[in-house]
Amino acid sequence: MTEAMLWYPIVIPALCGVAALALPRRLPDGVALLATTANLLLCLRLYGNEMNVSSPWAGFGILLELRLYHFSAFILAAAACFALLISLYSLCFMKGRAHGNQFYAYLLISLAMVNGAVLADNLLLMLFFWEGLLCTIFGFIAIGGREAFRSAIKAFVLVGVSDILMMVGMAMTGFLAGTLTISRIHLAPDSPVAGVAFLLLVMGATSKAGSMPFHSWIPDAAADAPLPFMAFLPAALEKLLGIYFLARITLDLYPLSPDSWLSPFLMTLGVVTILLAVMMALIQKEYKRLLSYHAISQVGYMILGIGTAVPVGIVGGIFHMINHAMYKSCLFLTGGAVEVQAGSTDLRKLGGIGRRMPVTFGCFIVAAAAISGVPPFNGFFSKELVYDGALERHWIFYMGALAGSFLTAASFLKLGHAAYLGKPRGEKSLSDVREAPPGMLVPMLAIAGGCILFGVANPLPINNLILPIIGPERAAGHHFAGLPQNPFLIVMTVLVLLGAWLNHVYGVRKSGSGVGASDHIHHAPVLQPIYDRAERRFFDPYDLGMKAVQGISRLAWWIDRGNDWLFNVLAVGTARFFSRTVRGLHDGSYSTYMLWVALGAILMGLYLNA
Amino acid sequence: MKTNALVWAAMFVPIAGSFLLPLAGGISKALRNLGAFLLVGTSLLCSGLLVPTVQAGTTLRISCPFLGGGQLFQADSLSVFMALVSMLVGAVIVLYSMGYISHYDNQNEYYFMVVLFLGSMMGIIYAANLILIYLFWEITAVACWRLIGFFREPLCVVRADKAFLITGFGAFVMLIGFIMVYGQYGSFDLEAIKSASTAHPVANLAVFLILFGILSKSATLPLHSWLPDAGVAPTPVTALLHAAVLVKIGVYVYARLFVATFTIDPLWNQVVPLVAGVSALVSGGAALVETDMKRIIAYSTISQLGFILLGLSIGNPLGFAGGLLYILMHSIAKGGLFLCAGVVEQKLHVKDITRLGGLIRTMPVTAVSFLLCAFSVMGIPPFGGFFSKYLVIAGSLKSGDYPIAAIFTLGAFLTVIYLFRLFAMIFLGEAKTTPVTEGAPVMVASVAFLALLSLAGGLLINYPSSYVQTTVQQILGVMP
């Protein structure tokens, strides 16, 4: 166990990723599998240790500092598990698809970047890896198809803007604290400058996790990018990274107290993200797009939990982060299996494939139950903790989160019903659909198993992984594992789930099909026009921002043209005018010239006499 | 002295050698091309050999009685840094020219002017006397005038005249400023002025006049309009003028005079960043509307020069170091962007991006090089531009200048957007032109080299960064 070992999780995947680009076709698959396996073994070996390394790098306080401790080791190990499972899954998924080399290269380099960002103990070193993910995200989405680059650029611009804002926040934090070393920064967000720095950092962290308002690339990427990308980055690793840093900010950098105005701010951001995104998820008619809106919505629970600034909420938020990474990547993987086997992810064409793909369906049921908060799966326990924390602060946050739960459950009932039950509605017959190959089933089964394990045996992760993060002082006198002690919470959750079930039954009756189960909400009087506009991207922050930028650039263009006119027209015109005038005086007449000479002599004489 | 001979060689090998190139061209084209590359390479090597000396903290001085001052030239770590950056990119551009210019007339004049231009740039960099700075400054202006009008078409000549008149007028105004400085201190010698101006800061009017000249050369609003127009020149020339060398003369002289030598009113630390900020925003916005690819990159240069000027003028060591690193990273990456655009232009003879598209499928190396260089200009890690952009913005935050920092953050967003628009419209989407193959090997190799250099600039940031730290310490006397 040497200090150099801390560099391995960054260097090994990065080098293998570069090698994957150069290797001939088919070889990169093996390299990716080997590299992710090696990375997992390495991360497990590192787990449980505490280490710091530091060496000079770019100067100006930017050092190569890494810190391995319980929190980073936990995220590192979780990321390593996902990377291995996704690369295994991709062996089958990417078979016969174009750009395999690039796909595996981006996967490995992204893993290296995530590992680096998690381990980094210097704000700028962390940003180096964090923002470096932009390049691989761009690549991942761009290889999805001919027109995929539009979504790729959208993703790059949105995430890039939030990263630049975070860079400003980091610089301000560095000056306030006098150091860029994360573990030495402990500030209070009381002055205006510190408050702005805190907000900028939070904005960067939550955008990485996929929260509003920098979220709108995710649904577009879901449609364009290769599916394992969605399960890998937006569903799992980016959530881990974003919430990891959010927890670091609120626990270490700027310890958040419940009395600060920043706490209600974070909670509001969380609840708004939950509700708006889940409202959009509810009406989606495409498997992957529906999931991607949930990937946004669920971040809201984590932000809400951490924003409560009370121990039970923070534990819930962090627990929800790891749970979400599990069930959401599992859901995306089932979506990929359906895409490969049935040839479509359009819910209007799918139907009745549950019997033909029983294992996939089983994994879907587990993960969907977990995300809807059905006991005894993992999502139930983490959501209850978040609810507990929210209720402790104010009932309005609790009600918002509960409404989000209702809509989540309703949309997953609709998704499961439309895709796996009922009858196929498209022109294509789905009777020859078969179960996915084992290479795709194993990762799904492993993650679904994890969802059950983290649910049934929830004291295990809570006590071993999460309590060390918030520390014994904060945790003292609380009880986190097991069922919530307040029976009111359980009763409300059960009522909400029942309500979602009844709503689904009503919707199916009314529309006559599973896919139309949410149509009565979609076409409700007030919601209909809002939904229409949202579907036409009226509220997309990217499009709004681009419109603003177009306005600024038009203005700049006219300023520039005006300035150019000064040189091209005004200066030239003035010169021409003078030369014409002076030329007129040179008329070749001897007497005129003598007159000029006389005038000149008089002026000179006056000047000399004065 | 041996090291002093290196300074002489760094300047006068290219300057004197350039006059021989047309003769060499009479004998053989290959000899002339090789000669041009060797002249630039020798100068690069000589400056490179000076690195250990100046890093040790020594300043080389070459003196002889001249116009009221003892010193002619000096080499400190700032000048060697600038010389290395200019000559490195200059050498790549000369190499690239061998592929690009080989189909055109008047090649003798081309190589003559390019090498003379680079040599007189070295003169400005090593000069230790205001009059020498002015002298070499005007030689670059003449060379630049010939190069912009290289194709001899009426439009090219008009644009060349415009560039010459604006920069020449600026230089003239600057000369008046120099004379005012002489009137104040009785010397054109930088060292003498430095010691005299600590007690009596340079008059604001003189600063204004000199600044006028600097802004005209480094194409900052409102004196920038010649730069986009100069895009009619052959692409290696635009790369040379816009990216690597010419526009950096202005910012270098700013650093040399106003940071390293003169003591000026702190008011300028507020005014110059503001001018730079407005310039960065307006040209960034114009880059989003423009459709000629070389003009877009030219506007982008104006915008990025705003960042450099901000770093140099904000008045703290962090920003100054950032500005210097920015010069390095921007020269490499922007040179790469221009040269990639040149590959496309030479193959297709189209500069309008609305008529281009889908070229990544037939020109993969050029496209990827373009993207990597664009990432560096945007300031995305792991590319070099990330560090320089951070340091410049952090410098403005350190001075507590939050509105300026906000302007430049907005400028950074614009950079991301206009470069992606450019990349997408040239290389992605549906092909709108006849399919073409990659450019000449020497051209593609040059752009790939610059792209990899941008990447290396980020991963191996410790080398340029430690150099710049020494420079900042020598000049400002404080550790950043």
Side-chain angles (χ1 to χ4, degrees), chain A residues 58 156 553 560-561 563-564 568, chain B residues 162 224-225 285 299 420 465:
Chain A
F156 193 102
S553 52
D560 179 73
R561 289 298 89 195
N563 180 61
D564 206 41
N568 284 357
Chain B
K162 180 176 177 183
H224 66 287
S225 84
Y299 278 117
F420 257 116
S465 171

Side-chain angles (χ1 to χ4, degrees), chain B residues 68 161 220 235 240 244 279 307 320 345 367 434 437 474:
Chain B
D161 289 348
T220 305
T235 302
L240 201 64
S279 179
F307 282 85
F320 186 67
E345 188 211 351
T434 47
T437 49
Q474 273 181 18

Side-chain angles (χ1 to χ4, degrees), chain A residues 115-131:
Chain A
N115 285 347
V118 170
L119 280 172
D121 194 27
N122 186 292
L123 284 175
L124 254 286
L125 180 64
M126 179 176 150
L127 185 65
F128 181 80
F129 292 118
W130 178 290
E131 204 176 342

Side-chain angles (χ1 to χ4, degrees), chain A residues 308-574:
Chain A
T308 58
V310 293
V312 63
I314 300 173
V315 168
I318 298 175
F319 192 33
H320 202 64
M321 162 192 80
I322 184 70
N323 291 340
H324 172 268
M326 285 160 45
Y327 57 65
K328 184 50 56 62
S329 60
C330 183
L331 285 168
F332 269 114
L333 296 185
T334 62
V338 170
E339 183 183 348
V340 170
Q341 301 300 327
S344 169
T345 50
D346 189 338
L347 295 182
R348 281 163 294 208
K349 294 181 188 155
L350 291 172
I353 53 174
R355 268 177 301 139
R356 307 190 190 282
M357 302 175 71
V359 183
T360 308
F361 187 34
C363 293
F364 172 82
I365 291 176
V366 170
I371 194 175
S372 311
V374 176
F377 300 106
N378 56 0
F380 168 74
F381 293 97
S382 52
K383 270 193 187 172
E384 292 302 310
L385 288 169
V386 172
Y387 291 154
D388 202 351
L391 190 58
E392 191 176 328
R393 295 304 307 277
H394 200 283
W395 59 267
I396 195 151
F397 298 115
Y398 175 63
M399 292 313 293
L402 215 53
S405 250
F406 169 79
L407 295 168
T408 307
S411 67
F412 275 96
L413 286 168
K414 165 188 151 185
L415 174 59
H417 190 151
Y420 293 96
L421 305 173
K423 286 201 172 64
R425 300 158 57 82
E427 60 277 18
K428 194 176 150 230
S429 165
L430 297 173
S431 55
D432 54 348
V433 171
R434 286 180 205 293
E435 184 55 276
M440 292 168 88
L441 291 182
V442 168
M444 285 191 261
L445 283 170
I447 302 177
C451 290
I452 300 173
L453 179 76
F454 272 32
V456 175
N458 65 77
L460 191 77
I462 291 183
N463 291 335
N464 295 317
L465 299 175
I466 296 166
L467 285 190
I469 294 169
I470 69 162
E473 310 89 60
R474 280 201 191 85
H478 292 279
H479 185 72
F480 303 107
L483 287 173
Q485 283 160 325
N486 186 350
F488 172 71
L489 292 171
I490 306 180
V491 172
M492 287 305 284
T493 303
V494 171
L495 283 180
V496 160
L497 290 175
L498 275 178
W501 175 261
L502 290 176
N503 170 64
H504 182 72
V505 172
Y506 171 75
V508 173
R509 279 259 169 82
K510 194 161 181 229
S511 68
S513 69
V515 69
S518 58
D519 285 357
H520 61 286
I521 298 178
H522 188 169
H523 301 302
V526 185
L527 293 176
Q528 169 87 43
I530 302 178
Y531 268 131
D532 277 357
R533 289 192 173 79
E535 287 282 272
R536 279 184 279 137
R537 297 173 191 262
F538 266 48
F539 310 120
D540 188 332
Y542 177 75
D543 291 353
L544 293 175
M546 278 301 174
K547 276 199 193 103
V549 166
Q550 287 300 337
I552 294 174
S553 52
R554 276 282 150 202
L555 179 69
W557 173 249
W558 288 116
I559 294 175
D560 179 73
R561 289 298 89 195
N563 180 61
D564 206 41
W565 182 85
L566 290 182
F567 290 96
N568 284 357
V569 181
L570 190 68
V572 173
T574 316

Side-chain angles (χ1 to χ4, degrees), chain B residues 191-202:
Chain B
E191 204 56 33
I193 299 171
K194 183 175 185 176
S195 47
S197 74
T198 43
H200 309 281
V202 179

Side-chain angles (χ1 to χ4, degrees), chain A residues 267-317:
Chain A
M267 288 194 284
T268 312
L269 176 69
V271 171
V272 168
T273 300
I274 294 175
L275 287 178
L276 293 183
V278 80
M279 288 299 281
M280 287 307 293
L282 190 66
I283 60 158
Q284 298 304 315
K285 302 252 191 295
E286 216 271 344
Y287 203 132
K288 293 187 287 183
R289 258 183 97 80
L290 189 148
L291 290 181
S292 67
Y293 275 107
H294 279 293
I296 300 162
S297 155
Q298 294 293 310
V299 185
Y301 286 101
M302 307 171 208
I303 299 173
L304 173 65
I306 291 176
T308 58
V310 293
V312 63
I314 300 173
V315 168

